[in-house]
Amino acid sequence: MPGKLLWIVNPLAGKAEIKQHALACIDTFVKAGWDVTVYTTQSGGDARRAARERAAAFDRIVCSGGDGTLGETVAGIMDAGVPVPLGYIPAGTTNDFAASLGLPKLPALAAAAAAGDCTAVLDIGQFGERYFTYVAAFGLFTDVSYTTPQTSKNLLGRVAYLLEGIKSLSQIREYPLHVEAPGVSVDGTFLFGMVTNSTSVGGFKGFPHVAQAQMDDGLFEVVLVRRAASLLDLQTALNNFASNGDSDSSLFVHLKTPWITFAGETELAWTLDGEFGGNASTVEIRNLHQAVRFVIPPPVTEETE
């Protein structure tokens, strides 16, 4: 039964359009029977603090913002140790996790889903002492999401990320790493790596291996890209991988695993859910199986189509 609902809102996410839809979202919650409290984030880390401090006092938390706001809210719920269901109204630039859940893009419709009673207990990732909802990544292009100015994101949307990514081609770095997972030990020099629990990454759906991800099976999809002899070889291999899932190239390592470790001689800059995740020379990433209950849209049936 509906009770007390905390709505954590990042008012600056995406193009700040959530401000235009706030009243409709609140009205949707109230009509569903919820007693609504609204909290607007004031700075980075605020969503995590609000969720951590208030989780025990509410029957449901809903957050609105980009993937970073969602990741903070999840981390706050994990910090609190309270199994409060979490709804999500996507309002960022790419909203990968929302795409994986099939959430509506229109805020009022997403609010209706968040106010509903359909839930799923899904995996999240643990990165050292931090958490992420859908991806931990390093290397080529992975800093674009947090180095792209917010003003550019607001004006250009996904195109802003592409423009920043093009700039980084001239600064390709290589990372000698030792990688371990259950039954796997790999040494190599890598340009890129991602550990994901999402069917959408960077706003693009359809990457074959990632699209096969199950969000509640306790396993990550891991893709690593080795150093190529030339940019042309790299581009050809990436095009084949993205278009038809061809990972037979010696440039790729593809794994499904509940945990994985990376160790290198120098520190790597990591991205967690599109936000800067810190620098580390050694990291352990674990899948926390069915750790958070998310509110999701009801399944489509013949009656609802």
Side-chain angles (χ1 to χ4, degrees):
M1 295 291 294
K4 298 178 65 177
L5 183 151
L6 173 64
W7 187 22
I8 299 174
V9 185
N10 178 352
L12 301 180
K15 298 180 181 180
E17 293 180 351
I18 192 62
K19 297 177 183 179
Q20 303 172 28
H21 302 276
L23 183 58
C25 291
I26 293 171
D27 187 55
T28 298
F29 295 145
V30 172
K31 280 184 168 62
W34 292 99
D35 178 8
V36 184
T37 298
V38 180
Y39 180 83
T40 55
T41 61
Q42 304 298 306
S43 59
D46 212 14
R48 181 171 187 169
R49 181 193 58 76
R52 179 179 65 246
E53 294 179 355
R54 302 188 180 199
F58 288 87
D59 302 293
R60 178 163 301 179
I61 294 177
V62 177
C63 69
S64 183
D67 293 320
T69 303
L70 175 65
E72 281 194 25
T73 307
V74 167
I77 291 174
M78 293 298 294
D79 292 342
V82 177
V84 56
L86 174 62
Y88 181 36
I89 301 175
T93 305
T94 55
N95 304 307
D96 283 310
F97 198 73
S100 295
L101 294 180
L103 293 177
K105 294 182 179 180
L106 186 66
L109 294 179
D117 57 6
C118 187
T119 64
V121 187
L122 304 181
D123 306 337
I124 65 166
Q126 183 172 19
F127 181 94
E129 296 182 354
R130 301 184 64 174
Y131 303 100
F132 62 94
T133 55
Y134 75 98
V135 69
F138 70 86
L140 191 64
F141 295 147
T142 55
D143 64 342
V144 169
S145 58
Y146 61 81
T147 58
T148 303
Q150 185 64 50
T151 51
S152 297
K153 295 179 187 178
N154 291 347
L155 287 171
L156 301 174
R158 190 186 302 170
V159 174
Y161 290 117
L162 297 178
L163 293 175
E164 288 295 318
I166 291 170
K167 295 178 184 179
S168 70
L169 278 173
S170 62
Q171 302 174 349
I172 293 177
R173 293 186 59 187
E174 302 173 349
Y175 305 94
L177 293 171
H178 175 70
V179 181
E180 288 196 6
V184 177
S185 181
V186 178
D187 290 282
T189 301
F190 298 95
L191 302 178
F192 168 83
M194 69 176 180
V195 181
T196 185
N197 186 46
S198 172
T199 59
S200 173
V201 176
F204 298 94
K205 302 185 73 172
F207 290 100
H209 293 297
V210 174
Q212 298 168 9
Q214 299 295 317
M215 301 173 70
D216 61 355
D217 63 357
L219 299 174
F220 289 123
E221 295 285 339
V222 180
V223 177
L224 307 175
V225 182
R226 296 181 186 271
R227 175 178 57 190
S230 68
L231 279 176
L232 179 60
D233 289 344
L234 176 62
Q235 179 178 344
T236 300
L238 289 174
N239 287 343
N240 290 338
F241 177 74
S243 62
N244 57 31
D246 180 9
S247 58
D248 292 336
S249 168
S250 60
L251 296 183
F252 293 101
V253 176
H254 173 240
L255 306 170
K256 291 177 71 74
T257 179
W259 60 265
I260 189 167
T261 63
F262 296 86
E265 296 179 358
T266 59
E267 290 189 338
L268 280 174
W270 284 86
T271 300
L272 304 180
D273 293 340
E275 304 293 329
F276 179 57
N279 298 303
S281 58
T282 301
V283 297
E284 179 179 17
I285 302 175
R286 290 194 169 272
N287 186 297
L288 302 181
H289 184 40
Q290 298 184 0
V292 175
R293 183 174 294 278
F294 289 90
V295 187
I296 62 173
V300 177
T301 64
E302 292 184 0
E303 295 181 355
T304 59
E305 286 181 340

